[in-house]
Every structure is written in C-alpha cells, then in structure tokens.
Amino acid sequence: MRDAIDDGIPDDYKPGQGVGVRGFGTMTLSEIFEYMYNHYGVVSPLEIQKLSRQLDQPWNPNDPIENLFKNIEDTALFAIVANKPFMHHSLITARKCAIMGTNLFREEMREYNRQNPHGMEDWITFKTFWKNAHTDYDRDQQTMAASGYHSANNIAKDLGGV
C-alpha cells in the first residue's frame, strides 16, 4: 500500500531526501499522510471564497445536466475535505438558481417546488427530477430541430427578417 501511495504522488510534492532526490524514504503511511496534510491539506480563505463562487456559476442547458451535478458534487466534496462543508439546502438552492437562470424550466421549477417543499429536498430527488426534466428538454429541442424550427430562424423572424 505504501508503495502505491508513493508511486501515485508526483515527485514535486515529496520531501527532499538529499540533493536531487525526492521521496518519502522510510516514512510510514501515517507520516506520509501527516506530511501531505501539513504541506498541502490546509485550505486558504481565498480557496474557500473561490469555492463559494463556483456555486454561483451559470449553467448552459445545452450542456449535459451532469455538468450541473458534477459542479455541486465536486464543490461539496472539496468543502468537506477542507472541513468547511456547505449547508445541504444552500447547495441545492445554488443549483436551482442556475436552472432558473436559464429561463427555460419555469413550469418544471414550480412542479419541483410543489413536490419538494423548501427544507425537505434531498440530492438524489433533485438529480432524478432535473435529469428527467432535462431529458424532456433535449427531446423537445431535437424534435423542433428535425421539424425545421431552429432558434436562429425564429430570432430572424422576430426581428422582422426572413
């Protein structure tokens, strides 16, 4: 196990063992973990601020909804590891704001809120509901495109062109 950890950590992060030699030498696993935590495991206030900003990132509904889920899961995991976990409801609220920011899922958001009163939400239910809603959105977009109903054509018509 020790060799696997030693092999998995790039030399740049290992202590010097002499001129031009880097590695963990005879350190035990607990000493390796302690070394790594003390040198690289402390999260700065700037990193926490950056983490909070990640939750405010907009989401493009033309991208897979898994991107929206991955953003919050990665952010939540990092926050837990940094011993600065976010409140569960604030993570879901941040992603709901990203969905609402698209202006495409108004009816779905009303339905979601009816089914999941504030404070009663859970991550699995959130993911399942919005995965299904996004799948419906994707299908509608494909159907409209196949029927010749393209957003660029609609914009041109709305602006008085074509």
Side-chain angles (χ1 to χ4, degrees), residues 43-57:
V43 179
S44 74
L46 289 175
E47 290 171 309
I48 296 298
Q49 187 178 43
K50 180 181 172 187
L51 190 64
S52 295
R53 285 190 198 127
Q54 279 184 256
L55 292 176
D56 296 331
Q57 292 298 309

Side-chain angles (χ1 to χ4, degrees), residues 106-124:
R106 290 184 182 127
E107 289 299 317
E108 292 86 349
M109 186 61 73
R110 284 187 197 102
E111 179 62 27
Y112 177 81
N113 288 334
R114 274 192 291 275
Q115 292 177 15
N116 303 281
H118 185 67
M120 301 299 290
E121 303 164 289
D122 67 81
W123 184 237
I124 299 301

